[in-house]
Amino acid sequence: MSESTYPPVTEHLSDPETAREEGRRKMDWALQHMPILNALREEFETEQPLAGETIAMAMHVEAKTANLVELLADGGAEVAITGCNPLSTHDDVSAALNEHESITSYAVRGVGDEEYYDAMHAVVSHRPTITVDDGMDMVKLVHEEYPELIDSILGGAEETTTGVHRLRAMDADGELHYPVFAVNDTPMKRLFDNVHGTGESSLATIAMTTNLSFAGKNVVVGGFGYCGKGVAKKAAGQNANVIVCEVDPRKALEAHMEGYEVLPMTEAAAKGDVFVTTTGNRDVITREHFEVMNDGVLLANAGHFDVEINLEELDDLAVDRFEARDGVEGYEMPDGRVLNVLAEGRLVNLAAPIALGHPVEVMDQSFGVQAVAVRDLAENADAYDPGVHDVPDDLDREVAEIKLAAEGVDHDSLSEAQREYMGSWEHGT
Ligand code: NAI
């Protein structure tokens, strides 16, 4: 395996020292609101569960992620990290991370495709024993280009729905050769991060980027899964009229019973003022929809990849493209209508210029699960065959207990009799 010559972040910045200080300030602020990572840090620093491991990470490099990365390093690991989206990196945070003696950060905001993948190769050149992904790009790269590393990789952890979908497809094809935890699928992650995190941060980012209100507007939500539910609920909470578009009849019915209007996108397109896609699928909004949209609509995507709004087709239709605001590109149609695309159609809550990602408290939970999943790989990797695995329920509960204790919330426990009753089939009427 050849060594990478791609340099870490600090060599891309004109004033790395100032960047480091600002990045550290952002991390310190976030850490004050991350009781789970703080509790795990005490344990990890004392017990060094990751000693001897090298962790390769491709994630959104911002303050909350950075605190996870430092936790893993303080738990004994060497960590190399890059971004999982060309626009979501905060360079100052990346620079602050790179200062840690056990961490190398290659993440830089706004890189082109070639540099994005150069950075990914640079991370893999550290010869990981564990991978941590948000979207599965690292697992794919290792399998396709560095198969010689697979035998020494204990396993991986995957953060998001799209990554887990891709991993399951890879597993079904018999192409996934080490175990990977579906961190996304734990209750502590997706009931909070996908629902509340995506809902709050996507809407907040759209509002801040445009300086516009949701009240009284028709907000069209593409997909009524975990993320879509969050976006719909929070938009309704801001007095929008919510329209849901779904392909799964049960989800469509659920949205209907929640009181939202449910329409095919062909009809919603003509009614909407703001569109937010959350499907993890491609071509949710296409030419036929652009053709009937109102002048001035806002188009935003909160799904993992930038394929939900078909920008190629929009560009084909447009007679002009211009920067309407920072993070907003206007596409002028031949009849004079302007359709506004936020954050280049990339996940808006992380890729818009002012985006901060999910609230800190939410990411504390997601990254708490990541940390205990990685600890389990280091301690019990032999227990897992290659393939996609659920994170053991007791680990998810451990993270919930830490959070409840930090919040000062006490809760009930099953009595012995209740436990026996719940595990028995013999009690009837
Ligand atoms: P999910 O699987 O719970 O929901 C997706 C929904 O979209 C499903 O109900 C599905 O039936 C529907 N759908 C699929 N194709 C559609 C189409 N053409 N038109 C309308 N509906 C369609 O997935 P989840 O957890 O809500 O994640 C959605 C996406 O958001 C994924 O790409 C995930 O990786 C990403 N994500 C983004 C976050 C962010 O910070 N922006 C945070 C967490 C997840």
Side-chain angles (χ1 to χ4, degrees):
M1 196 171 119
S2 62
E3 292 308 311
S4 165
T5 54
Y6 191 76
V9 56
T10 38
E11 294 185 37
H12 299 260
L13 304 180
S14 56
D15 184 0
E17 192 47 48
T18 308
R20 271 198 285 261
E21 278 169 27
E22 182 54 24
R24 177 58 55 185
R25 242 162 44 107
K26 289 183 181 176
M27 288 169 64
D28 287 347
W29 171 263
L31 196 58
Q32 289 174 49
H33 305 276
M34 301 183 95
I36 300 169
L37 292 202
N38 279 312
L40 290 172
R41 188 179 287 236
E42 279 182 30
E43 175 202 317
F44 276 35
E45 279 176 350
T46 315
E47 297 181 11
Q48 295 289 290
L50 308 179
E53 306 303 341
T54 300
I55 304 179
M57 302 178 74
M59 300 199 96
H60 302 293
V61 178
E62 48 72 66
K64 286 95 70 184
T65 313
N67 285 320
L68 169 67
V69 177
E70 283 203 342
L71 168 65
L72 301 177
D74 291 342
E78 289 289 325
V79 187
I81 183 164
T82 185
C84 64
N85 181 300
L87 292 183
S88 64
T89 295
H90 290 221
D91 288 344
D92 47 9
V93 171
S94 183
L97 260 187
N98 195 60
E99 207 176 13
H100 192 294
E101 59 178 4
S102 303
I103 299 171
T104 313
S105 179
Y106 298 96
V108 181
R109 188 174 199 274
V111 290
D113 275 4
E114 195 176 332
E115 279 186 287
Y116 179 79
Y117 284 104
D118 283 349
M120 197 83 72
H121 284 279
V123 167
V124 179
S125 76
H126 289 251
R127 298 182 163 272
T129 57
I130 293 172
T131 59
V132 179
D133 258 305
D134 188 324
M136 205 208 84
D137 283 349
M138 190 67 73
V139 169
K140 181 168 183 286
L141 183 68
V142 167
H143 280 72
E144 285 181 347
E145 300 200 35
Y146 302 95
E148 70 277 14
L149 292 179
I150 288 173
D151 278 350
S152 47
I153 292 183
L154 300 174
E158 170 54 52
E159 171 76 7
T160 198
T161 314
T162 284
V164 172
H165 277 174
R166 294 176 80 197
L167 284 163
R168 290 198 199 286
M170 195 176 173
D171 197 11
D173 285 348
E175 298 294 338
L176 179 59
H177 300 310
Y178 60 78
V180 183
F181 279 132
V183 169
N184 177 75
D185 294 359
T186 57
M188 280 298 283
K189 197 273 180 183
R190 81 176 160 192
L191 294 179
F192 302 90
D193 173 318
N194 301 31
V195 179
H196 296 282
T198 309
E200 283 183 25
S201 64
S202 299
L203 293 181
T205 308
I206 294 168
M208 293 296 290
T209 301
T210 59
N211 200 200
L212 296 174
S213 164
F214 294 104
K217 292 210 172 66
N218 291 335
V219 173
V220 178
V221 182
F224 198 66
Y226 290 93
C227 294
K229 271 174 212 167
V231 173
K233 187 181 169 89
K234 312 275 172 177
Q238 294 190 45
N239 297 350
N241 308 307
V242 174
I243 301 171
V244 170
C245 302
E246 247 298 343
V247 291
D248 182 327
R250 296 152 305 175
K251 300 283 177 61
L253 184 58
E254 199 183 347
H256 173 69
M257 298 289 271
E258 287 289 336
Y260 303 122
E261 187 173 5
V262 177
L263 290 174
M265 185 59 86
T266 41
E267 289 176 42
K271 293 183 82 170
D273 301 303
V274 182
F275 295 76
V276 187
T277 51
T278 65
T279 70
N281 204 346
R282 61 178 304 152
D283 300 331
V284 181
I285 305 182
T286 58
R287 176 184 291 265
E288 60 174 324
H289 309 124
F290 302 134
E291 282 172 344
V292 298
M293 283 178 178
N294 292 315
D295 182 29
V297 294
L298 306 179
L299 302 172
N301 166 48
H304 188 76
F305 286 120
D306 58 342
V307 294
E308 306 213 9
I309 304 167
N310 191 321
L311 291 181
E312 270 176 37
E313 291 184 357
L314 183 58
D315 197 33
D316 273 356
L317 283 174
V319 292
D320 190 21
R321 261 172 79 165
F322 58 95
E323 188 180 33
R325 278 173 71 83
D326 202 15
V328 184
E329 195 160 26
Y331 287 71
E332 188 181 336
M333 300 291 103
D335 58 8
R337 287 173 304 131
V338 174
L339 314 187
N340 296 298
V341 176
L342 275 67
E344 302 176 15
R346 296 188 186 277
L347 72 186
V348 68
N349 57 326
L350 283 149
I354 53 130
L356 295 172
H358 288 2
V360 178
E361 299 92 328
V362 166
M363 293 318 295
D364 188 33
Q365 296 188 193
S366 303
F367 290 154
V369 181
Q370 282 283 4
V372 295
V374 168
R375 185 189 65 194
D376 198 44
L377 284 172
E379 290 173 349
N380 301 313
D382 289 348
Y384 301 103
D385 293 329
V388 181
H389 293 267
D390 287 336
V391 176
D393 200 49
D394 57 323
L395 297 185
D396 201 46
R397 284 172 183 270
E398 175 189 340
V399 175
E401 295 290 3
I402 299 173
K403 175 77 177 189
L404 285 171
E407 298 272 313
V409 177
D410 209 357
H411 67 100
D412 293 313
S413 306
L414 290 174
S415 67
E416 257 326 299
Q418 286 171 330
R419 199 181 303 280
E420 192 272 327
Y421 180 81
M422 295 302 282
S424 147
W425 54 269
E426 286 172 340
H427 304 282
T429 41

